[in-house]
């Protein structure tokens, strides 16, 4: 306990100023801080007994908290964004996340102006509760392969929805199982022929008594990973049996179906069908920084409280955070949390800019924002998922107790790697985008935005790294140059190989493992460059800039060391330069150490949000581990239930005769 | 479904012969097969509703299964080893695993002959049920820092046990919480002075009525990771308050305390205090191959059933197992499962040999077997834990359902990375052992056993890789040579750096990250070399040897590619050779593909053991996913519980007035 107080006293930078940077400005900080303390002090949001709850209790707790969030949002007059912050702070998912993060953004991007006029007020007042029903049991990634049909019946001016096969059963949509009144359903549009997958609004349950509509079989798909996790959400299934919806429930911004059943394309790119996903992925990016910082806070604080081994017998034991292996596990993740935060903030503003353009029918940025959100979603969720488990392992045995908070965080987080696009497929897409960018450059096209660096391909492939001593690695230009060269060289090498394949698609498939690598390299470059931009901006507060510079270098160099083979194989680094990077990283990690506690305090996470005995702000870990155990109902009786039946017969050697 | 049948029909090797090799011989195979089918058909062992069970239900189910296993073992007259196989096949842990895998081995290695005569019959008849109580809430890795005291009272010829602090509370021992009657308790032996940590047998509960002894506060430490997982085990806590035990309950093989309170060292190395851990780690090695093959079976089968995307529109979609990225995720793990199996079999026989020597007071192999079991435990558990999650992700969304079996497998498996020694610390120890071996060589000492290759240090550091085309990588000598050179060079480099530190311990600490790398390299070399030995032995059955050769190459080359930086930085490989390795690996993976189903069938896992809808032998995945969902009690009502309270007020806009 006194360890954390001492560490805090020895902090060398302005923690309050850092909190404001993390939050994205003073106003944002104040609001987040206020909402966090409201949540932390409200009994409805308590998490105490969660690990012991059954699925049903978890779900009921989830809808209770959702209702309470809604009420608070109305009472406090929160904006949509601020209400989302409130939901994030409650620390568990529910159907309302899908309503606000998927259903509504789809309406905004894919519904016509009139449709929006009808549906948006219903949705934003929550008079209808929506979900996003794309995935089927047989098709997730391959959206074009979805089997649900929507056949037009001109005689009634309706579409008739059907689930023609078992595999066409809608499967996974959050909120569909038990709560949603409406769903955005992706189905094949059948007129004179099959026009492929389109999005429809389908009512699922009665607005009167909440009973499912007669023609729809709907339910919950069952228990998911972990005892907490996403088990508060009613991921559902649905089968349609001649379900009729008005023609106007087809979202018609990209294409209209007339009364006569004629299909009329509109001047909006087809890719806008996945416009809702751009919104969702951008949110996922911010969540990554929240969940990663959550895990890192627990691991850093506990590692400063935990002492194990002394170098000289008799001396006080060492805080495990002082061990180089422990620092190497945790500090790159601490740096990544900051990195993801800043790239998330950047994406947030890019996103609103682009949404504004979309509203005004300017779609020029679509390909770029699509690649960017896809790749960054894949990168940040992969890293965060792995990081939570690394942090858990770094807490030794106690990390395995639910009381550490880490099991639930992991269980809740990992599906981010799968939903809104399987990360492997997203990386492959981004990889293709890069390679095609290079192939197109030969035809006088100039890459823009985050791929702009590829314009310097010649230079990037010819000029090798100039680092000659350890400290050269601290220059932003040096490290940025290395990342650009790596991504460019990997992309160039694939684009050369691809030309040898008679069929480009077959070539992309054969080289898909390489596409994943280049996409990762490219996305790391984006994150790093946004971090560097941040550090180079105006940063108030004593030594705050210095700490961010340190973290930025740590982020970059830990990636150089982790992927050093890329830099070596492409010939950009020599063995000696790679070794210098390793030494510099070791030194950076030891410089992160003194302010580590303050750097996690800067996330401003409450004990309620952390939900972790190991991550407590006061560091009083052991007392509370013990108290948690005593609370377990399992400890109410001295002799366990089941003793007479299953233990006594063994001990008293009466097993052979007893029948079990 | 027909996919798996077709794949099986096209198998090119003798699956039955492979099953026998996997099992470790025909007799072992027949027994395992028989036990597996007994378990699969016995209603007591059913797992159906497990994900929905509460902690208490899981525990009661666990002791019920344990009692049933004991009864079956008696009925069938199973040997200790075969009874362990039975417990493995039931697919969940209980207190009895600790009794047989820790309590009894400790008695065998640390009790004197007379003590064994008294305690072993009680233990092997389960008239007493034992657990292993080493860890305290404040000390796990640092065993020397344990705080529990055992003070000798000559007046009564007893030791008095005490827990002087909160942090000295015993914490984690499996079986201690609710079941064990006795514990091996590690405590500081206090005579005229503190003699450090020793092991004592302490009775915990009455053999009459199972009530905890008056002077012991004991209970369960609470919910652990996941809803299934280790929650069937009663990991416990205990505090001693002047608990008295007879002097003779000190395990005295290494040191005797006389009636007068004199401490007399025996001629048995102190390190035998951790003799029980050698047994446990050797078992963990075999478990790794079981659990890894479990996950891989699910991922491979499902990936052959799952079809997603077609290259040409209209064509049948592609089995996702055909995608190179999918193969790259799963096939190295398939190869690792075989690799871990064979190194496990090798260790099993080494272990019985060494135990025989120990019984005859020959301890010359202690250091070697200690390093070997430590390092291999750390390697195989790290890989397996990560692999389970990789396999889960490779199953897309459906992998996140408990019905896939993978969430529970993960939750149950991961603590292997922590218990019986935190993997980081084990690697550091092995790393030190290697570096010290090199430092000692300068003084005419010759390395033995698995470190023997270090005797060729000169050659290994001078001669670089001679690969000049892709196929050169297929030679056992080439690949083994590469692994030897890598480990030797990494170790040599540390041993040179260490000499620059004035204090060797401080040097080891500063270089601990490097110690972890060299230890990993060394352990991978051991695994690979045992795999090669196996392949070079007599292997009956059509094409079985050919398949094993393929897997062995896949194992080796996937590691070369994963850790290629080690090979490049040490100068052993050129960039070109590294690229050739990558190409060869791609080609090996495509050769694994046609027999992939048969290679997982060879593990002979029953559907019961797999507990996975995705891994079903018949491949009938979708029907059963759907059936599982329908079974969920959550789907019993059309309108969900909680609707009136928490959903209706939102939809009907009555929220402001309703009080939640
Ligand atoms: C918790 C959770 C919530 C969800 N919520 C929703 C929701 O609200 N609404 C909704 O519609 N859906 C939802 N989903 C579904 C989710 O969007 C899909 O699971 C996701 O799109 C992945 O698709 P899949 O499951 O079909 O994976 P698959 O495509 O079957 O992937 C399986 C494996 O095959 C590989 N693979 C597939 N195709 C290729 C290829 N061409 N090349 C190389 N490899 C390939 C993948 O990389 C993966 O390893 C949710 C899922 C989860 C887990
Ligand atoms: C499911 C489960 C079952 C268990 N069963 C038993 C049982 O039956 N009996 C029993 O006695 N115990 C049991 N244990 C306890 C287990 O043995 C300990 O948790 C384990 O030894 C790790 O010790 P720790 O928890 O103290 O980790 P710590 O040592 O506290 O490790 C925390 C972190 O510090 C790092 N660290 C610590 N020291 C150093 C160092 N010198 N250098 C570098 N890094 C360091 C570690 O690498 C880790 O990252 C069990 C644990 C679990 C999870
Ligand atoms: Ca690497």
């Amino acid at each position: 306990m006194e360890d954390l107080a001492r560490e805090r006293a020895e902090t060398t930078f302005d923690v309050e100023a850092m909190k404001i940077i993390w939050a994205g400005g003073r106003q944002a900080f104040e609001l987040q801080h206020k909402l966090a303390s409201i949540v932390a002090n409200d009994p409805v949001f308590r998490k105490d007994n969660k690990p012991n709850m059954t699925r049903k209790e978890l779900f009921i707790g989830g809808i209770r908290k959702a209702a309470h969030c809604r009420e608070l949002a109305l009472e406090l007059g929160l904006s949509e964004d601020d209400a989302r912050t409130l939901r994030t702070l409650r620390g568990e998912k529910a159907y309302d996340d899908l309503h606000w993060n998927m259903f509504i953004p789809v309406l905004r991007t894919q519904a016509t102006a009139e449709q929006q006029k009808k549906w948006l007020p219903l949705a934003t007042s929550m008079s209808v509760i929506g979900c996003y029903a794309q995935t089927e049991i047989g098709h997730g990634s391959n959206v074009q392969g979805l089997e649900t049909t929507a056949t037009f019946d001109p005689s009634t001016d309706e579409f008739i929805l059907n689930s023609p096969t078992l595999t066409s059963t809608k499967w996974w949509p959050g909120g569909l199982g038990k709560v949603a009144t409406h769903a955005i359903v992706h189905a094949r549009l059948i007129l004179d022929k099959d026009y492929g997958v389109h999005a429809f609004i389908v009512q699922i349950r009665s607005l009167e008594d909440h009973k499912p509509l007669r023609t729809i079989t709907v339910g919950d798909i069952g228990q998911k990973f972990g005892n907490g996790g996403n088990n508060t959400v009613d991921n559902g299934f649905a089968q349609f049996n001649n379900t009729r919806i008005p023609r106007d429930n087809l979202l018609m911004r990209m294409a209209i179906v007339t009364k006569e059943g004629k299909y009329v394309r509109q001047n909006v790119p087809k890719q806008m069908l996945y416009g809702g996903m751009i919104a969702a992925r951008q949110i996922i990016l911010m969540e990554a920084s929240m969940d990663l910082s959550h895990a890192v806070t627990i691991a850093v604080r506990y590692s400063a409280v935990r002492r194990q081994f002394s170098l000289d017998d008799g001396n006080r034991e060492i805080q495990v955070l002082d061990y180089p292996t422990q620092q190497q596990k945790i500090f790159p993740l601490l740096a990544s949390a900051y990195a993801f935060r800043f790239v998330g903030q950047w994406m947030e503003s890019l996103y609103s800019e682009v949404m504004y353009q979309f509203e005004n029918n300017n779609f020029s940025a679509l390909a770029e924002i699509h690649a960017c959100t896809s790749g960054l979603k894949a990168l940040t969720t992969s890293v965060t998922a792995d990081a939570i488990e690394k942090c858990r392992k770094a807490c030794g045995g106690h990390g395995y107790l639910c009381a550490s908070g880490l099991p639930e965080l992991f269980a809740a987080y990992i599906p981010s790697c799968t939903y809104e696009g399987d990360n492997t497929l997203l990386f492959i897409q981004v990889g293709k985008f890069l390679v095609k960018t290079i192939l197109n450059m030969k035809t006088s096209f100039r890459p823009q935005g985050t791929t702009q660096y590829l314009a310097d391909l010649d230079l990037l492939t010819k000029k090798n790294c100039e680092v000659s001593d350890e400290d050269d690695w601290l220059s932003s230009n040096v490290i940025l140059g290395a990342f650009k060269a790596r991504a460019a060289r990997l992309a160039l090498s694939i684009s050369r190989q691809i030309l040898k394949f008679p069929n480009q698609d077959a070539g992309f498939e054969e080289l898909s493992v390489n596409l994943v690598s280049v996409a990762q390299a490219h996305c790391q470059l984006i994150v790093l460059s946004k971090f560097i931009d941040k550090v180079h901006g105006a940063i108030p507060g004593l030594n705050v800039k210095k700490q961010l510079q340190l973290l930025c270098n740590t982020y970059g160099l830990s990636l150089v060391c982790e992927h050093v083979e890329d830099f070596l194989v492409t010939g950009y680094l020599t063995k000696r330069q790679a070794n210098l990077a390793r030494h510099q990283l070791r030194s950076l990690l030891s410089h992160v150490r003194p302010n580590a506690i303050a750097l996690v305090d800067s996330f401003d996470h409450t004990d309620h949000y952390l939900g972790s005995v190991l991550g407590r702000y006061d560091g009083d870990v052991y007392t509370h581990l013990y108290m948690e155990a005593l609370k377990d109902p399992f400890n109410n009786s001295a002799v366990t239930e089941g003793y007479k039946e299953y233990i006594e017969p063994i001990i008293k050697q009466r097993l052979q005769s007893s029948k079990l």
Side-chain angles (χ1 to χ4, degrees), chain A residues 302 306 308-309 320 323 325-326 329 393-398 400:
Chain A
Y302 178 61
R306 184 71 170 174
Q308 209 75 189
F309 296 100
V320 299
Y323 291 114
T325 45
Q326 193 78 350
K329 288 176 205 175
K393 287 207 183 87
C395 293
H398 302 338
Y400 189 63

Side-chain angles (χ1 to χ4, degrees), chain A residues 208-473:
Chain A
E208 271 321 298
D209 59 12
H210 213 240
K211 288 215 181 99
L213 299 200
R214 196 182 40 81
T215 58
I216 303 178
T217 309
V218 61
D220 184 278
I221 63 171
Q223 183 89 10
K224 288 155 295 204
F225 202 129
N227 29 7
N230 267 281
N231 285 304
T232 45
V233 181
D234 52 325
N235 294 93
F237 65 83
Q239 290 169 338
F240 304 102
N241 183 10
N242 291 318
T243 307
R244 290 180 167 264
I245 56 170
R247 174 171 58 89
D248 192 43
N249 280 21
L250 165 66
L251 295 183
M252 302 217 213
R253 188 164 179 216
M254 281 93 72
I256 283 173
V257 170
T258 66
K259 248 181 156 66
E260 298 74 30
K262 248 193 79 195
Y263 186 80
V264 190
R265 282 277 296 118
Q266 304 294 291
N267 201 9
V268 170
K270 265 207 305 217
Q271 289 72 12
M272 284 299 288
L273 183 56
Y274 311 113
M277 285 206 160
I278 298 182
R281 286 179 191 152
Q282 172 254 326
I283 292 168
I284 289 177
L285 213 58
M286 269 317 218
E287 283 178 354
S289 72
M290 284 300 278
D291 290 322
L292 179 52
S293 62
H294 182 164
V296 166
T297 303
I298 297 170
V300 167
R301 288 195 185 146
Y302 178 61
S303 297
V305 170
R306 184 71 170 174
R307 290 176 173 272
Q308 209 75 189
F309 296 100
S310 53
L311 270 188
D312 309 295
D313 259 14
N315 268 4
R316 180 110 201 250
E317 286 176 291
I318 296 168
Q319 294 167 284
V320 299
L321 196 56
D322 287 336
Y323 291 114
T325 45
Q326 193 78 350
Q327 296 177 0
Q328 207 218 7
K329 288 176 205 175
I330 304 176
F331 291 163
L333 305 177
L334 173 63
S336 301
Y338 278 92
F340 293 173
R341 189 73 180 180
F342 299 138
V343 80
Q345 290 171 353
W346 167 77
M347 178 54 77
E348 231 172 32
S349 60
L350 181 65
Y351 175 76
S352 21
E353 205 176 291
V354 170
M355 280 300 123
Y356 180 80
Q357 295 171 8
F358 286 177
E359 277 159 33
N360 294 286
N361 290 314
N362 168 358
F363 301 100
S364 58
L366 185 58
E368 157 83 359
I369 188 130
H370 183 72
C372 226
T373 47
S374 301
L376 290 173
K377 181 270 180 187
L379 179 71
T380 56
T381 58
S382 300
V383 170
T384 300
D386 289 351
I388 296 168
E389 176 60 5
K390 280 183 201 160
C391 286
R392 195 197 60 74
K393 287 207 183 87
C395 293
H398 302 338
Y400 189 63
L401 281 171
C402 288
S404 77
L406 292 163
E408 189 187 341
L409 182 61
F410 183 79
Y413 191 75
I414 47 172
S416 309
C417 298
T418 306
Y419 58 52
E420 306 305 332
D422 169 87
N423 284 354
T424 304
L425 293 183
L426 293 178
F427 277 138
I428 291 177
Q429 278 169 27
V430 173
K432 279 189 199 170
F433 174 73
L434 293 172
V435 172
K436 285 183 179 168
T437 300
I438 289 190
L439 295 175
N440 285 340
M441 272 164 47
K442 310 220 158 130
T443 60
S444 85
F445 153 90
R446 277 198 64 88
Q448 298 296 330
T450 52
T451 54
Q452 208 177 342
Y453 69 102
L454 290 177
D456 303 325
L457 203 56
D458 266 3
L459 197 68
L460 289 173
T461 48
K462 274 183 204 123
K463 215 170 136 247
N464 288 335
C465 181
E466 291 184 338
V467 161
S468 67
D469 75 49
E470 251 179 75
D471 285 350
D472 291 343
W473 274 117

Side-chain angles (χ1 to χ4, degrees), chain A residues 77-91:
Chain A
L78 299 183
S79 70
E80 249 181 75
D81 280 350
D82 295 344
R84 171 174 312 119
T85 303
L86 179 65
R87 290 201 307 277
T88 304
L89 292 168
R90 93 183 158 210

Side-chain angles (χ1 to χ4, degrees), chain A residues 117-130:
Chain A
K117 219 162 122 189
K118 172 174 175 194
W119 288 103
L120 276 179
L122 291 171
T124 54
S125 65
M126 295 188 85
S127 304
V128 304
I129 296 176

Side-chain angles (χ1 to χ4, degrees), chain A residues 27-28 31-32 34-35 69-88 100-101 104 108 124 126 348:
Chain A
Q27 229 186 330
L31 183 92
Q32 285 168 32
K34 179 178 126 193
L35 293 179
C69 274
R70 177 66 183 155
E71 191 176 34
L72 279 174
L74 292 173
E75 265 175 36
L76 301 171
L78 299 183
S79 70
E80 249 181 75
D81 280 350
D82 295 344
R84 171 174 312 119
T85 303
L86 179 65
R87 290 201 307 277
T88 304
W100 291 99
N101 300 351
I104 290 180
R108 291 205 172 113
T124 54
M126 295 188 85
E348 231 172 32

